[in-house]
Amino acid sequence: MKKRTLLLVTIILIAISCSENKTQTPGNLNWTTDLGKAIEKAKTEQKAVLVNFTGSDWCKWCFKLRDEVFSKDEFKKYAEKNLILVEVDFPQNKPQSNETRMYNYSLQQKFGVQGYPTIIIINKEGKPVAKTGYQPGGPLNYINHIKSYLGS
């Protein structure tokens, strides 16, 4: 009986640790999915909003942006101090609720997104100031790219 209980507990702990790793984002960034709440938080904290329209499980350029920019410490430090991050995902193989799909589609329509990745930059006042995407050059170049739209 003790062996079965120990085996069951071990299996459960392994399953939990595996699922936790799958939900971590590159660079351990804190992404949200609710744009309205993100904009309100950004206004309160005097930060800009970066909205990442992505195909997280299929889009080659989205992978490049994630691997070359979002996963780097330089970007993480900048984002923590200056940005509220929003992910609007259009996966092909990850499950998503109908509510999430409809919400993401409405944001796609609102911002006229036609390809991925598309990045929308919203200033501290809640106004969209840029529509951009992948930029080569790594995290420091991308940070400067974002700053050029925010006037900082």
Side-chain angles (χ1 to χ4, degrees):
M1 183 68 170
K2 284 184 179 182
K3 287 183 181 181
R4 281 189 186 174
T5 304
L6 182 60
L7 179 62
L8 182 60
V9 168
T10 303
I11 291 170
I12 291 171
L13 290 174
I14 290 170
I16 289 170
S17 69
C18 288
S19 67
E20 287 174 358
N21 287 336
K22 290 180 183 176
T23 60
Q24 285 186 338
T25 59
N28 295 317
L29 294 171
N30 186 20
W31 294 91
T32 185
T33 57
D34 187 318
L35 180 59
K37 288 181 182 176
I39 290 172
E40 290 305 313
K41 183 176 181 181
K43 287 178 181 178
T44 301
E45 296 181 13
Q46 289 295 291
K47 294 181 177 181
V49 178
L50 182 148
V51 186
N52 177 25
F53 287 84
T54 184
S56 67
D57 65 353
W58 61 270
C59 169
K60 177 179 107 169
W61 293 104
C62 301
F63 297 157
K64 287 180 74 69
L65 183 58
R66 178 193 65 205
D67 296 342
E68 295 176 15
V69 177
F70 297 152
S71 67
K72 303 300 181 189
D73 286 338
E74 297 93 339
F75 184 82
K76 180 181 179 183
K77 288 175 188 172
Y78 175 76
E80 286 174 349
K81 291 180 183 175
N82 300 286
L83 301 172
I84 304 296
L85 303 171
V86 178
E87 183 180 72
V88 182
D89 196 11
F90 294 86
Q92 290 182 351
N93 298 307
K94 289 181 185 176
Q96 221 176 26
S97 71
N98 284 337
E99 180 182 4
T100 298
R101 271 194 300 275
M102 289 174 56
Y103 177 70
N104 290 355
Y105 179 74
S106 72
L107 292 177
Q108 179 186 36
Q109 296 302 304
K110 176 180 179 175
F111 291 104
V113 173
Q114 297 179 354
Y116 308 104
T118 295
I119 303 296
I120 305 295
I121 307 293
I122 300 172
N123 68 16
K124 296 174 185 178
E125 291 77 40
K127 296 179 182 179
V129 294
K131 182 190 230 181
T132 187
Y134 170 80
Q135 299 288 316
L140 296 178
N141 185 60
Y142 209 82
I143 290 166
N144 288 331
H145 179 66
I146 293 168
K147 286 179 177 180
S148 73
Y149 293 114
L150 296 172
S152 56

